[in-house]
Amino acid sequence: SGSKSASSGSIATLVVDMSDLKAVRIATKSYAQSIRSLDMLFLNAGIVSAGTDSAGQLKLSVDGIEKVFATNHVGHQLLYSLLESKLLQTKTLAARVVLTSSASSFQSYDYGVATDLETLNGAPVGDMKPYGQSKLAQILFAKELTRRLAEKKEKKILVNAYHPGCASTDIWDKNDLIPSFLHGPVMRFFKKNVMWSQKDGALTMLWLGAAVEDLVAKDVRGKYWHPQAQEVIPQPWAHDVTLQK
């Protein structure tokens, strides 16, 4: 930025399709080779909908996984698993893993999250439940990972999930589930006057990632948060230990 208060560290980028497990593995291994340790990991990639295929079914990833679920959740799990050893090498009080969830997690299926490909890939089209399911999976992941780390007596990683709030980002313009008449002036009005700004939407995520002394002192792990940094009890399926596993 040129500001005197800016960090002197360098920024490097990798572009990867999070729905493609081979691409995630290649990119993450390349990144892991360039670092000794990792202090913060934000698992934030997300799409609301991938549309439908020529048969009118939910689109699948190259690995044969429903594409929203593959992008929003499965790719993140793989990325984390490949970087866990680097997180454990943090020189800070604890490494922080932050999973982007959503209030849409309250609007998943009656079974919470599918546990087989037939159910996952064969779900009805035309609603937000695939998205809600993927965001519920992020909360389940945060809780299960927290328990597994505790079983291994690894206290150096804090894992939490959060909802950024209804934030004014470009994801609204890419949502084909919103009726067309709501796009354009109507959506621009809501983004300007009703939704959180992008900066405000990032605050809870940034607190969960950057406020390490506060997080360690309060032992903030395995929780679900809403704006701004308010702990919220997630929907009932999030507490199901069998589904977490």
Side-chain angles (χ1 to χ4, degrees):
S1 68
S3 168
K4 291 182 180 180
S5 63
S7 169
S8 60
S10 61
I11 295 175
T13 60
L14 283 172
V15 179
V16 57
D17 179 352
M18 289 299 294
S19 74
D20 183 336
L21 297 181
K22 181 179 179 180
V24 172
R25 189 178 298 276
I26 292 172
T28 307
K29 285 187 173 181
S30 174
Y31 172 65
Q33 290 172 358
S34 71
I35 60 172
R36 292 183 178 180
S37 63
L38 185 62
D39 301 327
M40 293 180 281
L41 178 60
F42 297 95
L43 301 176
N44 182 59
I47 57 173
V48 175
S49 169
T52 56
D53 61 19
S54 58
Q57 302 296 310
L58 292 172
K59 279 187 179 178
L60 306 184
S61 72
V62 294
D63 302 291
I65 304 169
E66 191 276 308
K67 196 161 187 176
V68 172
F69 196 78
T71 302
N72 296 3
H73 178 63
V74 181
H76 288 152
Q77 269 205 337
L78 176 58
L79 190 151
Y80 169 84
S81 70
L82 295 171
L83 291 175
E84 184 179 68
S85 62
K86 301 294 183 177
L87 290 160
L88 289 169
Q89 294 299 314
T90 182
K91 305 303 180 185
T92 64
L93 292 173
R96 289 80 71 195
V97 178
V98 186
L99 297 123
T100 301
S101 181
S102 170
S104 293
S105 62
F106 287 88
Q107 301 170 328
S108 186
Y109 300 99
D110 293 341
Y111 47 79
V113 174
T115 55
D116 64 87
L117 282 177
E118 183 179 4
T119 303
L120 180 73
N121 296 346
V125 301
D127 59 30
M128 291 282 289
K129 287 185 177 180
Y131 178 74
Q133 172 181 235
S134 72
K135 294 305 183 179
L136 173 56
Q138 293 288 77
I139 302 173
L140 290 160
F141 181 27
K143 291 187 172 295
E144 177 64 14
L145 181 52
T146 296
R147 181 172 55 252
R148 292 190 186 193
L149 289 167
E151 289 173 350
K152 294 188 291 185
K153 295 182 171 54
E154 297 284 7
K155 296 184 177 180
K156 287 285 285 182
I157 301 178
L158 304 176
V159 186
N160 290 278
Y162 85 105
H163 168 48
C166 188
S168 177
T169 71
D170 290 345
I171 199 168
W172 297 100
D173 303 317
K174 301 172 183 177
N175 186 350
D176 58 9
L177 297 176
I178 295 177
S180 57
F181 71 89
L182 290 179
H183 287 281
V186 175
M187 184 55 65
R188 285 195 293 272
F189 172 85
F190 275 94
K191 289 174 72 172
K192 181 178 180 180
N193 299 286
V194 179
M195 298 181 186
W196 294 101
S197 70
Q198 293 185 24
K199 289 183 178 180
D200 287 343
L203 285 175
T204 302
M205 174 180 70
L206 292 174
W207 175 70
L208 288 169
V212 60
E213 293 184 2
D214 195 20
L215 298 169
V216 170
K218 297 177 181 178
D219 196 32
V220 176
R221 64 179 80 226
K223 306 289 187 179
Y224 174 55
W225 303 83
H226 273 210
Q228 300 294 350
Q230 299 295 312
E231 183 182 351
V232 172
I233 304 301
Q235 69 124 299
W237 275 116
H239 307 282
D240 188 287
V241 175
T242 300
L243 194 58
Q244 290 171 13
K245 290 180 179 180

